[in-house]
Amino acid sequence: MTPYTQLETFLNQENEWLPSLSLDCVIFGFHDHELKVLLLKYRNVDALALPGGFVHKEESIDEAAGRVLRERTGLTDIYLEQFYVFGQKERQNHLFNKTIIEAQGFQLPADHWFIRRYVSVGYYALVDFLDVIPSPDYLSDSIDWYDVQTMPPLLLDHGQIVRKALDTLRTLLEHNPAGFGRRAAPLLPDTFTMADLQRLYETILDQKLLRTNFQRKMLSLKVLERVDKKRTGKAHKAPYLYRFKPWQ
Amino acid sequence: MTPYTQLETFLNQENEWLPSLSLDCVIFGFHDHELKVLLLKYRNVDALALPGGFVHKEESIDEAAGRVLRERTGLTDIYLEQFYVFGQKERQNHLFNKTIIEAQGFQLPADHWFIRRYVSVGYYALVDFLDVIPSPDYLSDSIDWYDVQTMPPLLLDHGQIVRKALDTLRTLLEHNPAGFGRRAAPLLPDTFTMADLQRLYETILDQKLLRTNFQRKMLSLKVLERVDKKRTGKAHKAPYLYRFKPWQ
DNA sequence: AGGTATTGTATCACAATGATACAATATTCA
DNA sequence: TGAATATTGTATCATTGTGATACAATACCT
């Protein structure tokens, strides 16, 4: 099917979806000491946006979020969590949707379902950066990882949505570091050093932590398992490697 | 307007609302050392349900929640917070809605907007028990306060919604007692004793707290202001009265 | 006027945390 | 080859926060 007919098919699928409800996924990865988020760029539209989607009439919103994540990343069985509903009347996603469709050469009638007002449920996911092979769909030019700290301004309220997701992550990490540690497992390689883990925490919290106390704290949580010595070619004492213990 | 025509008008208002989106309000009050929640009973239907509503096409979901609260309690400027979205496909609110309408003697066509699937945003509010004069509307028999601990089973997933709201309150109270203290102001009279405050905390947390440590903790938060001596007729040492300090 | 139940505060032990010190060590480089 | 280097693992000290207990103060009752 050509992109053009795919799009046409999509635009005729009004009855597939629950009206006025959408969802946006903030998909976090970690690489090169940077917290990354998966963003896509629509054809002929300049700014970046979150991957999002709609809810089938016969699926729960959690299932819909899992499906969107799978469609975008190919990943299954990923921890996904709803964190907020964005329902400002000024969201103007209808203008945004009109723009990305018209950039493809289509004209939409004023009451087309795709350019109505949507209330959007925000979900975030923590995924393994290396497992994701981003591949753009028929609406988008590209889908890629961007550093959360330095990403360009996003379309609509998507910048706010990313910030809220980050806030949620921070709260989780401050109030329930053990729970976070487990869910954060995909963000790190199978085994990692304490310094790796600390960099992840520092990136999310956006603050420096005292190395020695961080180590003490992490070990006291009993969620890490010491593996071996790292011996790779660094000119210092070789650090221990750790992995997350299996659940419970 | 008679209840009958009011209901008829309402059932014709499909275009007023955002489709597939509803909201439910968990309105908490505190009285007689019990945490209460406002529940309504629909005419000719036995079980209890949360007051809920829909979102106007020209209002944000937060505004809609404020409006629903105002319609039910007459209260304005109340702290309201979104705490979760309930989007299971098995929610079956359509069956529930069908039941409460047919209990009024109406027959609805199978595709009527009121008996479609809804995804519901949960909001909670903390209000002054004494300020609320519950008055039932044309769909409901009664609206009244029920003790959270002993309330009867609720319709649909409304029991789960109340529990989730309580969980959110608990988390707030454990991780941010100062922030909670401020928002909880409507739950207590203008001035109150430390024992009153402790009973509120114990009720929400559903656990006993050590009196002396509770007092120390609360005073350390710097959100309370000591007022006077209580002299009312209790056969003990008169406790101090406190009030919440104005914000910041 | 003494008894009673409750309240306000002090204190002790212990756990958690911030901060600093220092020895151990894998590699590099003189 | 062996000292230099940067980092790592652990110990320790001071401070703060918390659970638990003790006790004096006091408003009202009888």
Side-chain angles (χ1 to χ4, degrees):
Chain A
M1 204 156 47
T2 66
Y4 190 85
T5 52
Q6 268 186 26
L7 175 56
E8 209 161 12
T9 305
F10 167 73
L11 288 174
N12 285 324
Q13 283 174 342
E14 166 162 15
N15 284 327
E16 299 261 320
W17 315 106
L18 284 189
S20 43
L21 197 67
S22 62
L23 53 89
D24 288 297
C25 291
V26 183
I27 304 169
F28 289 113
F30 189 65
H31 193 63
D32 277 342
H33 306 169
E34 285 176 347
L35 189 67
K36 311 269 194 183
V37 61
L38 209 52
L39 296 175
L40 51 82
K41 194 171 159 315
Y42 288 102
R43 289 174 204 272
N44 307 318
V45 179
D46 217 20
L48 296 160
L50 290 170
F54 301 102
V55 183
H56 271 125
K57 289 196 166 168
E58 294 300 331
E59 82 190 331
S60 72
I61 56 173
D62 288 355
E63 285 164 358
R67 176 177 50 74
V68 168
L69 180 64
R70 192 172 64 248
E71 287 167 2
R72 297 297 184 176
T73 65
L75 300 176
T76 54
D77 297 320
I78 298 293
Y79 173 76
L80 262 165
E81 188 165 300
Q82 166 202 132
F83 62 93
Y84 204 72
V85 189
F86 299 87
Q88 292 310 109
K89 60 170 177 285
E90 310 81 11
R91 289 195 71 231
Q92 305 212 305
N93 50 300
H94 48 287
L95 290 184
F96 161 63
N97 286 352
K98 195 170 151 76
T99 308
I100 64 176
I101 295 300
E102 292 183 350
Q104 309 260 9
F106 272 83
Q107 271 304 122
L108 293 180
D111 64 338
H112 190 276
W113 67 273
F114 192 63
I115 53 176
R116 294 192 191 131
R117 174 184 167 196
Y118 282 91
V119 168
S120 191
V121 183
Y123 279 82
Y124 72 87
L126 308 175
V127 308
D128 186 337
F129 178 88
L130 295 174
D131 282 355
V132 175
I133 304 132
S135 82
D137 65 12
Y138 54 94
L139 267 175
S140 50
D141 251 355
S142 68
I143 177 160
D144 267 308
W145 291 107
Y146 291 81
D147 175 21
V148 166
Q149 312 283 341
T150 62
M151 66 186 184
L154 304 189
L155 278 171
L156 286 179
D157 52 356
H158 287 195
Q160 185 203 342
I161 295 179
V162 173
R163 235 172 299 123
K164 186 85 182 174
L166 253 180
D167 277 355
T168 308
L169 261 191
R170 275 187 195 140
T171 308
L172 180 64
L173 190 143
E174 280 167 5
H175 295 312
N176 185 2
F180 171 79
R182 297 232 133 100
R183 292 169 196 161
L187 296 179
L188 291 170
D190 205 45
T191 65
F192 49 88
T193 68
M194 202 51 90
D196 294 334
L197 186 60
Q198 185 175 345
R199 268 188 292 267
L200 174 60
Y201 271 65
E202 287 181 339
T203 307
I204 294 177
L205 292 177
D206 198 22
Q207 69 175 314
K208 283 273 159 210
L209 301 173
L210 256 173
R211 182 186 61 89
T212 55
N213 295 340
F214 179 79
Q215 172 136 332
R216 180 177 58 190
K217 179 69 181 166
M218 284 302 129
L219 292 178
S220 79
L221 293 177
K222 307 286 183 201
V223 298
L224 296 181
E225 195 167 55
R226 194 173 268 184
V227 187
D228 257 341
K229 282 281 193 183
K230 184 187 234 176
R231 64 179 66 75
T232 50
K234 303 273 183 176
H236 338 288
K237 178 172 180 177
Y240 285 107
L241 286 172
Y242 297 88
R243 68 160 57 97
F244 287 104
K245 281 189 199 169
W247 276 86
Q248 300 311 338
Chain B
M1 206 156 48
T2 66
Y4 191 84
T5 51
Q6 269 186 26
L7 175 55
E8 208 161 14
T9 305
F10 168 73
L11 288 174
N12 285 325
Q13 282 175 342
E14 168 162 14
N15 284 325
E16 300 259 321
W17 315 107
L18 283 189
S20 42
L21 197 67
S22 62
L23 53 88
D24 288 298
C25 292
V26 183
I27 304 168
F28 288 114
F30 189 66
H31 193 64
D32 278 342
H33 305 170
E34 286 176 348
L35 188 68
K36 310 269 193 182
V37 60
L38 209 52
L39 297 174
L40 50 83
K41 195 170 161 314
Y42 288 101
R43 288 173 205 273
N44 307 318
V45 179
D46 218 20
L48 296 160
L50 289 170
F54 301 102
V55 182
H56 275 304
K57 289 197 167 169
E58 295 298 332
E59 83 190 330
S60 72
I61 56 174
D62 288 354
E63 285 164 357
R67 176 177 50 74
V68 169
L69 179 65
R70 193 174 62 249
E71 287 167 2
R72 296 298 183 176
T73 65
L75 299 177
T76 54
D77 296 319
I78 298 293
Y79 173 76
L80 260 166
E81 188 166 299
Q82 167 202 132
F83 62 93
Y84 204 71
V85 189
F86 300 85
Q88 291 311 109
K89 60 173 179 285
E90 310 81 13
R91 290 194 71 229
Q92 306 211 305
N93 52 295
H94 49 287
L95 288 184
F96 162 62
N97 286 352
K98 198 171 149 74
T99 308
I100 62 176
I101 295 300
E102 292 183 350
Q104 308 261 9
F106 273 83
Q107 271 304 120
L108 293 180
D111 64 338
H112 190 276
W113 67 274
F114 192 63
I115 54 178
R116 295 195 190 128
R117 174 184 167 197
Y118 283 91
V119 169
S120 191
V121 183
Y123 279 82
Y124 71 86
L126 308 175
V127 308
D128 186 337
F129 178 89
L130 295 175
D131 282 355
V132 175
I133 303 131
S135 82
D137 65 12
Y138 55 94
L139 267 176
S140 49
D141 251 355
S142 68
I143 177 160
D144 265 308
W145 291 107
Y146 291 81
D147 176 21
V148 166
Q149 313 282 342
T150 62
M151 65 185 185
L154 305 189
L155 279 172
L156 286 179
D157 53 355
H158 287 196
Q160 185 202 343
I161 296 180
V162 172
R163 237 174 297 124
K164 186 86 182 173
L166 250 181
D167 277 355
T168 306
L169 260 191
R170 276 186 194 142
T171 308
L172 180 64
L173 189 144
E174 278 166 7
H175 295 312
N176 184 2
F180 171 78
R182 297 232 133 99
R183 292 168 196 161
L187 295 179
L188 290 170
D190 205 45
T191 64
F192 49 88
T193 68
M194 202 52 89
D196 293 335
L197 186 61
Q198 184 175 347
R199 268 188 291 267
L200 174 60
Y201 271 66
E202 287 181 340
T203 307
I204 294 177
L205 292 177
D206 198 22
Q207 68 176 313
K208 283 273 162 210
L209 301 173
L210 256 174
R211 181 185 61 87
T212 56
N213 295 339
F214 179 79
Q215 172 136 330
R216 180 177 59 189
K217 180 71 180 166
M218 284 302 128
L219 292 179
S220 78
L221 293 176
K222 308 286 183 200
V223 297
L224 297 181
E225 195 168 56
R226 195 172 269 184
V227 187
D228 257 340
K229 282 279 193 185
K230 185 188 234 177
R231 65 179 67 76
T232 50
K234 303 272 182 177
H236 337 291
K237 179 173 180 178
Y240 285 107
L241 286 172
Y242 297 87
R243 68 159 58 98
F244 288 105
K245 280 190 201 170
W247 276 86
Q248 297 313 336

